[in-house]
Amino acid sequence: MSTIRSTALVTAAPLLLAAAGIAHPHGLSRSTAADWAHLHIALLPVFPLLTIGLLVPLWHRPRLDLAGVATVVAWVGAFVYAAFYTGLDAVAGIAAGTAVEHAAGTAALGPVKRPLYDTGEALGQAGAYALIAAVVATAVALLPRHGARILPGTIVLLVAGWSFVDSHIFWPRGVWTMLGLALGFALLAWGAGRSASSTRVSLK
């Protein structure tokens, strides 16, 4: 896979989420409930696609060594992220928005949405921490073959991943977090792709 094509592939999801973050309602109320729920329905299949940024540079059969074990750990972390962060969208996004939209006009909204927020936040944080773990495992898997070229992307991803723990995609920090993930994935793909190309050239 060419570096340009892989870069486009790994940055598509975070860039789309950054754009969605600009339109994301800043709070959940009766007036924003429908938009809140509909946006999270639309984004339900997009958040798991962030893992493409790790799967592309790891696209090979793992060997029976440290890099191979780290590759499997990264795959597991990516899966856990995708599962748990989807839970956040389903509970704090779709369910909370639907509940508020259909709450009685005289009902206090705090007791309606707070339990859903708390559950969703716990799921989302578990997913974000799993993504951070997957980034670390990806670096361990790639470092022996690609060297220091994968470190800039790894560092950017760790910073953005830490911000992702509590920023979601809310403007402004959440949008910058998604842009950071896009940059980190691009740097990682570039580092792995460039070093692989250099290896092929040296073998000719």
Side-chain angles (χ1 to χ4, degrees):
M1 184 181 296
S2 70
T3 301
I4 294 177
R5 195 175 0 164
S6 63
T7 301
L9 185 60
V10 301
T11 58
L15 291 178
L16 178 58
L17 290 170
I22 297 174
H24 196 298
H26 291 285
L28 176 55
S29 63
R30 286 184 174 87
S31 63
T32 63
D35 290 339
W36 183 282
H38 294 157
L39 180 64
H40 285 90
I41 291 172
L43 295 180
L44 199 63
V46 181
F47 276 102
L49 296 180
L50 286 178
T51 60
I52 291 176
L54 302 178
L55 298 180
V56 166
L58 292 175
W59 197 257
H60 62 274
R61 179 179 296 177
R63 294 172 295 182
L64 295 176
D65 55 12
L66 177 61
V69 172
T71 297
V72 174
V73 171
W75 290 348
V76 172
F79 172 78
V80 173
Y81 153 75
F84 278 80
Y85 214 84
T86 298
L88 164 65
D89 264 2
V91 175
I94 301 170
T98 302
V100 169
E101 182 182 9
H102 295 281
T106 57
L109 296 183
V112 173
K113 60 185 181 180
R114 178 50 54 191
L116 297 171
Y117 277 0
D118 291 343
T119 300
E121 183 178 358
L123 293 171
Q125 288 184 349
Y129 286 128
L131 184 63
I132 292 172
V135 169
V136 173
T138 299
V140 173
L142 295 177
L143 194 60
R145 182 178 179 186
H146 302 291
R149 285 177 175 153
I150 61 103
L151 294 180
T154 300
I155 292 170
V156 172
L157 287 174
L158 290 176
V159 173
W162 185 255
S163 177
F164 190 36
V165 170
D166 62 355
S167 69
H168 191 50
I169 59 171
F170 290 109
W171 171 264
R173 187 156 66 92
V175 173
W176 286 109
T177 296
M178 289 299 108
L179 294 176
L181 288 176
L183 175 61
F185 289 142
L187 289 172
L188 194 66
W190 178 83
R194 183 178 176 184
S195 55
S197 298
S198 300
T199 300
R200 287 194 297 268
V201 171
S202 64
L203 291 176
K204 290 183 179 179

